[in-house]
Amino acid sequence: MQHLRAAPQWRVIELITTGRVRLLAGDRRGATELLVGAVREARVQRLTHQLQCALSAASEALPDARESAEQGLTQLRTEMAA
């Protein structure tokens, strides 16, 4: 039986969703780690929409994750414009 692998964006979506849940549960550290990981993976895969989702998920509550998402989005936009 062949083992199917999910598209890269689904892993990033999973990290973002889990980060949101952790934030709602009050686990800011866990949420930050998950969202920063999502940003890192989205950046590697060049997933602009997922970077925007991570930025939204971080909101003002997670400044480190928000900054990471903003930087990733800016870098990707700069590369795409060149």
Side-chain angles (χ1 to χ4, degrees):
M1 186 154 110
Q2 186 177 2
H3 199 45
L4 298 177
R5 188 170 286 194
Q9 69 264 25
W10 289 110
R11 173 68 181 138
V12 176
I13 291 168
E14 176 186 12
L15 291 169
I16 293 168
T17 302
T18 308
R20 283 184 170 149
V21 170
R22 290 276 180 98
L23 179 58
L24 289 172
D27 180 6
R28 293 168 57 103
R29 179 181 293 162
T32 297
E33 289 175 8
L34 287 163
L35 290 172
V36 168
V39 167
R40 187 173 33 254
E41 185 63 29
R43 178 71 186 89
V44 168
Q45 299 295 330
R46 302 175 58 86
L47 301 171
T48 307
H49 181 71
Q50 278 70 31
L51 283 168
Q52 292 169 333
C53 289
L55 181 60
S56 174
S59 67
E60 298 300 320
L62 304 172
D64 291 343
R66 183 169 182 78
E67 181 179 342
S68 179
E70 287 173 341
Q71 288 175 354
L73 198 51
T74 298
Q75 289 172 347
L76 191 53
R77 285 179 175 161
T78 300
E79 289 173 12
M80 292 172 76

